[in-house]
């Protein structure tokens, strides 16, 4: 498909793709601008989805007049249309050109515990929120309402904040008709429905409600309706999706606060009171910016928790030197503390050499045996891995491999957004660069021309590819424009099989994770039936809510089973984290303990629960299977579980 910017024809080349949302594809124009093109009803992403096809046609029709009337002189933080894109006849608007913001992360990432463990400070979060507050106030001063205001249409780059998706803004006679469940004001929704559905026009107040949600989510890694509602009375039970309509928040005593979230008592009382009044008492109006400006963060020297109070709320009154027992018996579970730190565990793996880990503590990066890798501080844009005695650190387009007794090895890699794209298994390293998937070679193996020791595995799409590798095979995909390709590859031999029929969810992909079968009694990377399996997890914003999908893919590329869930629904699929696979089944960590999931007749079935594991895991725990048992990796500890 070609579009026109005035008289200039622009070919929509997938290689120039830089983003794919639920409603549009985004391309780099190469001149400091990006081109946003709305998906048409015949777009492959809408195949077989009648409702989405109708919505696409209505959206394009609605924007014909709206984009021509777009208000000028909006604040610089708004990524507004600069030039309209039309079809070949130069009459129908199909999208628009806008400023390109490079090196940005959506504000959504600021609400992920892994970002806080990876170097993102609470002070940086509150500074970004204060800048966003100023941007929202300035937008309102121009007579514009953001409408579908959520943490995916706020970007943060270099500390600056930008508001995107300006074509959905509400102004004049043009109402915003789309919404995101986590951020839509329940006062604008029909209370008789089982979940929030926008039924009244947006206003400035609804923008400030959404801002308050972002404040809570970004500072505490949990939104106002996070956790799981478990009332003692059966008559009081409601679907999790209905909680916003009943104002059943995390402040409710019968809501189980998520374990990975930051305790809300780290916030000062006046900020907590402001959030309570918004979400429980339905108070509206401009969010008090003074509460953000007044935040003074400090890190507790005892427990390491960042807080904005006079005293640490986590360990106040407790003995600073209190140490938990190294071995605990809980029912059928024997739990042994293997590693503990006041810093943060950045990476871990289990292989023939046992547990390997990378820890940051006291300004140093340290391996499991105490060896210091380097000094400095972690950065949220860094990605870490350990492979035997080697430590891999990626940031931007560079991967650095630090091995004992050897000079640092530097490898240029592609990034997907700001994430460097690489992975490892016990035998090799893998990375994407310039449209190729590469693997580290072995002595005597044929090398890729121009790169010592690198073997070309196959061609992929530069800057749009994500992949993972297990002991026997790897799985990956790329999506750009109208192209969606998934592939598998042998971990040893070059060649990609790109005919995997992966059931991508509709909407904008926001996260992905993958684990491979491996474990005692099954052989490396294979299940009890001899098949290698990958368990792929995808999250997407779809029809206003966050949906999760798990697809089990065999090493021959066949999709064996698919399951669906929603973020935060309390099930094993309520989070993408906390998973490992072994011997043909999946182990999933939840805040209630570990559950076992198996493929049964083409479906994924929860076959066993291990309630005795509940004290030792959260839904954010990383699980690793080893000969000794199940390793649970949390931010500051590794615990070995043996289940009888």
């Amino acid at each position: 498909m070609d579009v026109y910017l005035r008289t200039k024809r622009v070919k929509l080349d997938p290689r120039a793709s830089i983003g794919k949302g639920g409603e549009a594809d985004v391309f780099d124009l190469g001149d400091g601008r990006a081109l946003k093109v709305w998906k048409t009803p015949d777009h492959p992403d809408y195949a077989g989805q009648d409702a989405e096809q109708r919505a696409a046609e209505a959206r394009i029709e609605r924007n014909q007049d709206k984009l021509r009337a777009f208000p000028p002189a909006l604040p610089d933080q708004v990524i507004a249309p600069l030039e309209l894109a039309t079809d070949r006849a130069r009459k129908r608007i199909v999208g628009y050109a806008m400023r390109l913001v490079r090196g940005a992360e959506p504000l959504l990432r600021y609400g992920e515990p892994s970002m806080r463990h990876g170097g993102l400070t609470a002070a940086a979060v509150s500074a970004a929120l204060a800048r966003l507050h100023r941007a929202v106030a300035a937008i309102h001063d121009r007579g514009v309402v953001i409408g579908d205001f959520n943490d995916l249409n706020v970007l943060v780059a270099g500390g600056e904040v930008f508001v995107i998706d300006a074509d959905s803004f509400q102004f004049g006679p043009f109402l915003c008709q789309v919404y995101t469940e986590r951020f839509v004001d329940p006062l604008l929704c029909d209370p008789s429905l089982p979940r929030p559905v926008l039924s009244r026009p947006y206003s400035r107040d609804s923008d400030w409600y959404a801002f308050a949600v972002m404040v809570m989510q970004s500072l505490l890694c949990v939104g106002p309706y996070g956790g799981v509602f478990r009332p003692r009375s059966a008559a009081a039970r409601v679907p999790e999706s209905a909680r916003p309509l009943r104002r059943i928040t995390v402040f409710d005593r019968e809501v189980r606060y998520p374990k990975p979230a930051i305790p809300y008592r780290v916030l000062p009382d006046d900020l907590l009171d402001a959030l309570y009044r918004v979400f429980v008492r339905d108070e509206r109006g401009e969010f008090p910016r003074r509460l953000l400006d007044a935040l003074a963060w400090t890190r507790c020297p005892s427990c390491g928790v960042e807080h904005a109070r006079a005293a640490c709320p986590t360990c106040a009154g407790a003995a600073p030197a209190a140490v938990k027992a190294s071995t605990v018996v809980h029912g059928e579970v024997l739990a042994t503390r293997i590693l503990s730190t006041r810093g943060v565990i950045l990476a871990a793996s289990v292989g023939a050499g046992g547990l390997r880990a990378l820890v940051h503590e006291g300004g140093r990066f340290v391996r499991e045996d105490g060896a210091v890798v380097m000094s400095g501080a972690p950065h949220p844009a860094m990605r870490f891995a350990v492979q035997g005695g080697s430590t891999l650190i990626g940031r931007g387009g560079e991967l650095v491999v630090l091995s004992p007794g050897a000079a640092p090895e530097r490898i240029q890699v592609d990034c997907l957004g700001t994430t460097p794209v690489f992975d490892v298994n016990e035998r090799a390293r893998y990375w994407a660069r310039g449209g190729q998937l590469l693997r580290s070679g072995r002595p005597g193996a044929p090398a890729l021309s121009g790169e010592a020791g690198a073997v070309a595995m196959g061609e992929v799409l530069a800057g749009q590819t994500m992949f993972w590798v297990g002991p026997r095979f790897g799985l990956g995909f790329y999506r750009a424009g109208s192209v969606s390709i998934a592939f598998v590859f042998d971990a040893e031999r070059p060649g990609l099989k790109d005919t995997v029929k992966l059931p991508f969810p509709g909407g904008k992909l926001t996260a992905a994770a993958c684990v491979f079968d491996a474990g005692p009694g099954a052989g490396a990377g294979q299940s009890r039936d001899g098949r290698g399996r990958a368990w792929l997890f995808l999250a997407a914003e779809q029809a206003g809510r966050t949906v999760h999908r798990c697809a089990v893919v065999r090493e021959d590329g066949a999709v064996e089973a698919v399951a669906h869930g929603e973020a935060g629904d309390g099930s094993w699929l309520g989070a993408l984290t906390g998973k490992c696979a072994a011997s043909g089944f999946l182990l999933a960590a939840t805040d209630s303990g570990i559950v076992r999931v198996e493929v049964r007749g083409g479906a994924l079935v929860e076959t066993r629960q291990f309630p005795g594991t509940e004290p030792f895991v959260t839904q954010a725990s990383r699980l690793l299977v080893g000969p000794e048992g199940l390793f649970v990796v949390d931010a500051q500890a590794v615990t070995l579980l043996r289940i009888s």
Side-chain angles (χ1 to χ4, degrees):
M1 175 182 176
D2 294 344
V3 302
Y4 288 80
L5 292 172
R6 296 180 183 161
T7 60
K8 181 181 178 181
R9 187 177 73 170
V10 179
K11 183 176 179 59
L12 302 184
D13 188 339
R15 291 173 294 183
S17 174
I18 55 174
K20 173 180 279 291
E23 299 179 352
D25 295 314
V26 182
F27 301 85
D28 187 347
L29 288 172
D31 59 0
R33 298 183 301 166
L35 175 65
K36 180 174 183 177
V37 180
W38 301 306
K39 296 177 182 177
T40 56
D42 59 353
H43 195 286
D45 288 355
Y46 295 153
Q49 303 178 55
D50 292 343
E52 294 293 340
Q53 292 171 358
R54 291 193 298 271
E57 182 60 38
R59 179 168 49 250
I60 294 174
E61 190 60 38
R62 184 169 59 248
N63 281 327
Q64 299 306 303
D65 294 328
K66 182 178 182 179
L67 265 291
R68 290 187 172 94
F70 196 85
L74 287 179
D76 288 341
Q77 296 94 332
V78 175
I79 306 302
L82 297 175
E83 189 175 353
L84 301 182
T86 61
D87 60 10
R88 184 171 303 187
R90 317 292 205 280
K91 294 181 179 180
R92 189 169 174 82
I93 299 173
V94 296
Y96 58 90
M98 58 188 175
R99 280 185 294 155
L100 175 58
V101 181
R102 296 190 184 276
E105 290 279 9
L107 188 64
L108 170 79
R109 295 290 316 281
Y110 278 40
E112 297 175 358
S114 60
M115 286 283 282
R116 301 296 284 273
H117 302 324
L120 178 65
T121 65
V125 175
S126 55
L129 291 169
R131 292 187 180 95
L132 180 60
H133 187 290
R134 289 190 284 270
V136 175
I139 291 169
H140 289 172
D141 287 345
R142 307 299 198 277
V144 174
V145 170
I146 299 173
D148 184 24
F149 192 23
N150 62 75
D151 54 9
L152 278 174
N153 60 27
V154 176
L155 300 181
V156 186
E160 297 300 320
V161 175
F162 303 91
V163 182
I164 62 172
D165 294 339
D167 48 310
S168 67
F169 282 7
Q170 180 171 291
F171 56 88
F174 304 104
L175 299 181
C176 176
Q177 299 178 339
V178 292
Y179 66 95
T180 302
E181 279 192 13
R182 290 185 298 123
F183 295 92
V184 66
D185 188 342
L187 294 178
L188 304 183
C189 301
D190 186 343
S192 66
L193 297 178
R195 63 189 323 129
V197 176
L198 180 67
S199 59
R200 286 183 284 280
Y202 287 111
S203 66
R204 294 185 181 186
D205 281 350
S206 61
D207 279 354
W208 289 118
Y209 171 88
F211 179 82
V213 176
M214 293 182 213
V215 168
M216 188 169 185
Q217 179 70 51
S218 301
L219 292 176
L220 300 178
C221 299
V222 63
Y225 304 103
V228 180
F229 182 44
R230 291 288 184 265
R232 290 184 294 272
S233 169
R237 293 175 185 167
V238 300
E240 287 292 317
S241 60
R243 283 175 51 197
L245 303 173
R246 309 288 189 273
R247 315 303 192 266
I248 303 172
T249 71
V250 293
F251 301 119
D252 192 294
R253 293 181 179 179
E254 294 188 307
V255 170
R256 183 168 185 163
Y257 197 78
K259 289 182 181 180
I262 298 169
Y264 60 72
R265 287 296 177 188
V266 304
L267 300 181
D269 288 339
D270 52 358
L271 179 52
L272 280 175
D273 181 63
L275 296 172
Y276 183 88
R277 286 186 278 110
V278 170
F279 301 126
V280 178
R281 296 182 179 174
D282 286 341
E283 294 189 16
R284 297 293 184 267
E286 182 173 334
F287 192 88
R289 199 182 84 195
R290 59 179 176 79
L291 299 179
L292 298 173
D293 293 337
L295 287 173
W297 295 95
T298 186
R299 187 176 295 276
C300 176
S302 177
C303 68
V305 167
E306 285 187 287
H307 65 89
R309 302 178 72 91
C312 176
T314 303
C315 57
V323 178
K324 295 181 179 179
S326 60
T327 301
V328 176
V329 178
H330 190 266
E332 75 278 17
V333 179
L334 176 66
T336 303
R337 183 65 56 88
I338 301 297
L339 186 153
S340 183
T341 177
R342 290 187 176 180
V344 61
I345 300 171
L346 299 171
S349 68
V350 175
L355 176 70
R356 306 281 191 168
L358 176 66
V359 176
H360 184 267
E361 184 174 15
R364 302 185 303 172
F365 294 83
V366 184
R367 288 297 302 264
E368 71 285 343
D369 59 359
V372 177
V373 175
M374 68 177 191
S375 299
H379 187 278
M382 288 179 173
R383 186 181 176 197
F384 305 92
V386 289
Q387 181 195 39
S390 298
T391 303
L392 290 81
I393 302 176
R395 181 177 179 183
E398 185 175 66
L399 170 63
V400 179
V401 183
L402 304 172
S403 301
E409 180 182 357
R410 300 181 182 275
I411 302 171
Q412 298 303 305
V413 301
D414 283 348
C415 286
L416 184 60
T418 61
T419 302
V421 180
F422 69 92
D423 203 1
V424 301
N425 60 19
E426 285 197 76
R427 297 183 301 281
R429 302 186 293 270
Y430 305 77
W431 64 95
R433 188 184 65 211
Q436 286 190 308
L437 179 62
L438 304 171
R439 188 199 73 211
S440 59
R442 288 173 292 281
L448 177 70
S449 175
E451 174 124 26
V455 178
M457 303 294 287
E459 294 185 357
V460 294
L461 190 61
Q464 294 299 316
T465 299
M466 176 59 71
F467 74 90
W468 302 262
V469 64
R472 288 172 36 153
F473 78 104
L475 170 67
F477 65 83
Y478 50 86
R479 305 182 77 205
S482 59
V483 176
S484 292
I485 300 292
F487 57 88
V488 292
F489 60 95
D490 187 281
E492 299 294 325
R493 296 187 298 272
L496 306 182
K497 184 176 182 179
D498 59 4
T499 56
V500 180
K501 303 299 182 184
L502 199 62
F504 289 105
K508 179 180 177 61
L509 283 180
T510 58
C514 187
V515 296
F516 293 81
D517 275 351
Q526 69 181 52
S527 61
R528 286 178 295 186
D529 59 13
R531 296 171 175 170
R533 287 192 179 107
W535 301 67
L536 176 67
F537 300 88
L538 302 171
E541 291 291 324
Q542 182 178 5
R545 56 183 181 269
T546 305
V547 299
H548 288 172
R549 182 166 294 177
C550 173
V552 181
V553 183
R554 294 203 312 251
E555 60 183 311
D556 62 3
V559 177
E560 204 169 20
V562 178
H564 308 268
E566 287 194 26
D569 64 6
S571 74
W572 65 272
L573 200 43
L576 298 197
T577 51
K579 311 288 192 296
C580 72
S583 303
F585 57 82
L586 181 80
L587 294 177
T590 73
D591 282 2
S592 300
I594 293 173
V595 299
R596 173 170 165 161
V597 179
E598 299 184 46
V599 178
R600 295 280 182 87
L604 294 178
V605 180
E606 185 179 311
T607 58
R608 188 177 175 186
Q609 299 179 351
F610 300 93
T613 62
E614 185 273 338
F616 312 109
V617 300
T618 78
Q619 65 182 14
S621 299
R622 287 168 283 176
L623 303 183
L624 302 170
V625 174
E628 305 95 329
L630 184 66
F631 291 88
V632 179
V633 184
D634 290 309
Q636 295 181 303
V638 178
T639 305
L640 175 63
L641 301 185
R642 297 180 177 92
I643 305 173
S644 59

